[in-house]
Amino acid sequence: MRKPLPYFLAARALSILGDRVTDVVLPLAVLAASGSAVTAGFVGAAAQLPQVLAALHVGAVVDRRERKSLMVSADVVRAVAFVAIGAEVLFGGARWVPLVLLALVTGVGDAVFHAAASSYLPSLVADRDLMRANGLVEGSDAAATLTGPAAGGWLLQALGPLVACVVNAVSFVASALLLARLPKNVPGEEDSHGDSVLAGLRLIRRDRAQAVLLASACYLHLLAAAALLPLLVRADDELRLTPLTTGLIVSAAGVGGLVSSLVLARFCDAAPWPLLLAAALSVNGGAVGALALFDAPLWLAATVLVLDGASALGFIVVATTRQRRTPDAVRGRVIAASTAATATVRMLALACTGALIGLAGPRPVLFGVAGLALPFVVLLVLSGFGGPPDRTALSYAPRSSAPTACRRCGKAS
């Protein structure tokens, strides 16, 4: 692998570290200031809205602009926004309108950063190293998850929400400085027929494997969005745990993510990806159900560890298979189109989860999310795809019936 990869991994880890601090601090701070799980859910949902409304346009920008500069700009914007969020929670009483507006800004930054980063990674490594590289990316995220929530709980308990959000902002600035050391990545040119922002959606619709990947990713994101808030509410309202203890429980996710990312992923490249995803989603469903049953912090932490380990493996398989199947010239749009779908799921899950917790409590919500794993597992088992992920990416073809060429890394296919 090339030398720039460590800078990319470190930048991602720092950025995710700040996010994981905020994952614990922001909902707990909003709950403390407003006393409303519904408000906490809507603030989280607002951060996903730009990824739904702007994702297709973001994908087109990522496929036309230099990707490193887009990542750096997104980090700077998010740094400013999180300082403002901390100030609002501390001095403004956590009013939902300013928090939602600021969450929208962070959502735009997230949409740009993640589409650019996922499109950028294949330029740093050879195709044979892509699964390992995605494992390292997920591993750096897991390392941040291991330390971020515990740090967030301690910061909130000892120093308050403003300091925690400033720490998040500093992480984005550090990420931008590291990314600035990377080489530029200008997407390969494509013919004039392929300029539509709907190119990603057309590719996903035309390729059954891409559609199955997207369905699996939707459940993984539903799980990520809908499991954390009821766990936090259970820890705060039912179990009366301190923010530090809650942070330590959530931090256990990092251990599971590290095991999957750095150990399991390197042995899974030759396995059929639908079966890998089916196994990961089955474990996910069982673990979420267990979160509703256990009361002891140690058992909750162990369950979170298993849950995130399965999720990390699922995300690695989805990312690697999608990157391999998608030409560089349209990769940003495919990733952004997928992000639009998964962000819609996350947004609805966050908004509905807060309301459902208010109506029924956190335990029934966790059981419901666990049961939703079954149809996705059945879809994967019956998908009919065999062998390792297809390394010959489906060529992007415009609506015209005339012969066309796609370009991967600037070369005609």
Side-chain angles (χ1 to χ4, degrees), residues 8 27 49 57 70 81 111 121 126 176 185 189 197 235-236 290 299 307 364 392 394 398:
F8 180 85
L49 184 59
H57 298 286
L70 289 174
L121 178 61
N185 175 238
E189 295 180 359
V197 295
D236 187 50
W299 282 109
L307 174 62
T392 58
L394 182 66

Side-chain angles (χ1 to χ4, degrees), residues 63 67 119-120 122-123 185-189 323 326-333 407-410:
D63 283 337
R67 289 163 176 167
S119 300
Y120 184 92
S123 71
N185 175 238
V186 180
E189 295 180 359
Q323 287 165 347
T326 310
D328 180 69
V330 77
R331 187 177 292 127
R333 271 162 283 187
R407 292 175 175 84
R408 181 184 294 275
C409 301

Side-chain angles (χ1 to χ4, degrees), residues 147-372:
T147 55
W154 179 81
L155 287 168
L156 180 62
Q157 185 171 309
L159 302 174
L162 180 58
V163 173
C165 287
V166 169
V167 169
N168 193 12
V170 170
S171 74
F172 284 126
V173 172
S175 171
L177 293 174
L178 286 169
L179 290 171
R181 301 176 65 94
L182 294 176
K184 293 184 177 182
N185 175 238
V186 180
E189 295 180 359
E190 60 174 304
D191 59 50
S192 59
H193 294 285
D195 197 41
S196 168
V197 295
L198 298 177
L201 284 177
R202 289 203 296 269
L203 179 62
I204 292 172
R205 187 182 65 222
R206 194 166 59 243
D207 183 357
R208 185 164 169 252
Q210 293 270 12
V212 172
L213 282 170
L214 179 57
S216 304
C218 283
Y219 180 71
L220 288 170
H221 283 271
L222 169 68
L223 192 79
L228 180 60
L229 185 58
L231 174 61
L232 293 177
V233 172
R234 274 206 75 208
D236 187 50
D237 290 348
E238 293 184 5
L239 305 179
R240 303 297 180 184
L241 303 179
T242 66
L244 178 57
T245 301
T246 301
L248 288 170
I249 290 172
V250 178
S251 291
V255 178
L258 283 172
V259 172
S260 286
S261 304
L262 304 182
V263 179
L264 295 181
R266 62 179 61 214
F267 298 110
C268 293
D269 206 9
W273 61 265
L275 295 183
L276 280 175
L277 279 179
L281 268 57
S282 298
V283 174
N284 278 337
V288 172
L291 289 177
L293 298 175
F294 295 136
D295 294 335
L298 183 61
W299 282 109
L300 288 172
T303 304
V304 168
L305 184 154
V306 172
L307 174 62
D308 198 71
S311 295
L313 183 60
F315 281 123
I316 291 167
V317 174
V318 168
T320 303
T321 308
R322 180 179 292 137
Q323 287 165 347
R324 284 174 171 167
R325 296 186 67 90
T326 310
D328 180 69
V330 77
R331 187 177 292 127
R333 271 162 283 187
V334 170
I335 291 171
S338 301
T339 299
T342 55
T344 299
V345 170
R346 289 179 71 99
M347 182 182 66
L348 293 175
L350 284 167
C352 294
T353 297
L356 289 172
I357 290 172
L359 290 173
R363 285 176 184 251
V365 173
L366 290 169
F367 283 131
V369 174
L372 286 174

Side-chain angles (χ1 to χ4, degrees), residues 10-36:
R12 283 292 308 272
L14 283 170
S15 182
I16 295 297
L17 175 63
D19 284 342
R20 294 299 173 262
V21 169
T22 305
D23 284 345
V24 171
V25 168
L26 187 56
L28 288 178
V30 172
L31 282 170
S34 66
S36 172

Side-chain angles (χ1 to χ4, degrees), residues 86-115:
E88 170 58 31
V89 171
L90 183 62
F91 302 115
R95 295 167 296 176
W96 74 270
V97 172
L99 285 176
V100 165
L101 292 176
L102 289 168
L104 288 172
V105 173
T106 67
V108 172
D110 288 343
V112 173
F113 184 91
H114 292 297

Side-chain angles (χ1 to χ4, degrees), residues 46-66:
Q48 306 301 317
L49 184 59
Q51 299 192 51
V52 179
L53 298 181
L56 296 179
H57 298 286
V58 166
V61 170
V62 168
D63 283 337
R64 289 197 294 261
R65 300 288 184 89
E66 198 280 305

